[in-house]
Amino acid sequence: MTLRALIFDVDGTLADTERDGHRVAFNAAFRAAGLDWEWDVATYGRLLEVAGGKERIRHYLRERPADAASPSHADAWIAALHEAKTRFYVEALAAGALPMRPGVVRLLAEARDAGLRLAIATTTTAENVTALLRQGLGETSTSWFEVIAAGDVVPRKKPAPDVYLHALERLGLPASECLAFEDSENGIRASRGAGIATVVTLNDYTRGQDFAGAVSVLESLGEPGLPARVLAGESPRLDYVAVDDLRRWHGDAPAGPAPARV
Ligand code: XBP
Ligand code: MG
């Protein structure tokens, strides 16, 4: 099977968005709503077990039975609070607060040059993806991705495989012709659940999670002069992960000279 497409998670994979992006925006929304909630770095790390912002708020409410008893905490209340959070997050991105992780810009450019198709499969809200791509990769970069599967496009969020299955269906490709890029256990459970071989670049929130079945687990995709440290699985040929490595890891036959005519 030939590698045809790369499918990227967003949060934690394209950029380290959680601690200084989403978490800060949640807290700003809580303050604006007059709530005395504050998700510190450790609390947020624990809450990240629940994928999806609305789902995370609902989970937090369930942990606080006194609050959960209030009729104001219905779906519409959570949705409005989450919309405010999205506004704060997009504003922060417009201010240029969150850079792409090492190697992301380089590998995307290389993949486009090599004719690989690109897609996104994420739990986060679609506006957040657009804002992050525009800020980190340039105004037109949303068009690089043939499919942007985001947020509530599927009812069951990661670790369910649904968002990846949706992306595969929209690409019109089998899982065996794709590679996924993830940073978390919830993420790889989703991508592997959809049958897609997965490269993991972990971060401080996901270090120590279970990445069994990953093709390679790395500190980052790396750059020339900023080596991609490998923690498990396959290693890149050079200091950094390149398209040739992805093809090799995927099991593509090396592109050799054309066979001689007889
Ligand atoms: C990311 C998430 C997201 C963000 C918040 O998971 O769980 O919910 O934390 O985004 P993954 P929203 O990287 O596995 O897709 O508030 O827009 O849901
Ligand atoms: Mg992620």
Side-chain angles (χ1 to χ4, degrees):
M1 280 285 177
T2 306
L3 178 63
R4 307 238 178 253
L6 308 181
I7 311 179
F8 288 86
D9 169 49
V10 173
D11 295 305
T13 300
L14 294 185
D16 266 326
T17 51
E18 296 290 10
R19 192 191 66 186
D20 300 329
H22 289 296
R23 185 184 67 87
V24 173
F26 278 112
N27 286 331
F30 299 156
R31 277 195 300 280
L35 297 163
D36 65 354
W37 306 351
E38 173 77 25
W39 289 354
D40 62 26
V41 172
T43 304
Y44 193 66
R46 183 174 57 74
L47 291 170
L48 277 174
E49 274 175 33
V50 181
K54 292 190 287 290
E55 292 77 2
R56 195 166 297 143
I57 294 170
R58 185 170 297 109
H59 173 83
Y60 185 68
L61 277 164
R62 288 210 186 102
E63 286 183 346
R64 302 164 61 95
D67 280 349
S70 160
S72 64
H73 295 149
D75 284 356
W77 184 88
I78 292 174
L81 184 59
H82 186 254
E83 270 172 32
K85 178 258 163 178
T86 300
R87 282 196 296 278
F88 283 114
Y89 181 76
V90 168
E91 265 171 42
L93 283 180
L98 299 168
M100 294 286 138
R101 291 191 65 185
V104 167
V105 175
R106 174 189 53 75
L107 186 64
L108 285 173
E110 217 187 292
R112 294 180 73 222
D113 288 347
L116 289 175
R117 298 166 67 190
L118 299 176
I120 277 176
T122 177
T123 297
T124 202
T125 307
E127 289 116 285
N128 298 347
V129 181
T130 312
L132 183 77
L133 295 180
R134 289 202 172 125
Q135 181 254 323
L137 301 172
E139 267 313 299
T140 58
S141 58
T142 51
S143 67
W144 302 353
F145 297 88
E146 245 175 88
V147 175
I148 297 184
D152 298 330
V153 68
V154 289
R156 290 193 316 159
K157 295 194 172 165
K158 299 175 189 177
D162 303 29
V163 71
Y164 277 101
L165 294 171
H166 177 88
L168 289 175
E169 194 186 318
R170 296 261 318 275
L171 285 167
L173 289 176
S176 56
E177 295 186 4
C178 301
L179 269 183
F181 292 78
E182 276 288 353
D183 71 301
S184 70
E185 185 174 338
N186 273 340
I188 192 173
R189 283 174 62 194
S191 56
R192 298 288 300 133
I196 308 171
T198 304
V199 175
V200 172
T201 48
L202 51 66
N203 57 58
D204 284 343
Y205 268 139
T206 63
R207 198 176 298 282
Q209 293 184 351
D210 182 0
F211 297 117
V215 171
S216 177
V217 182
L218 307 115
E219 289 278 352
S220 79
L221 295 171
E223 294 282 29
L226 183 71
R229 216 160 71 78
V230 180
L231 303 172
E234 301 282 355
S235 297
R237 204 168 49 82
L238 300 174
D239 268 0
Y240 51 89
V241 177
V243 165
D244 278 352
D245 297 308
L246 301 181
R247 293 200 200 280
R248 185 163 43 84
W249 297 349
H250 180 260
D252 290 14
R261 280 174 194 275
V262 286

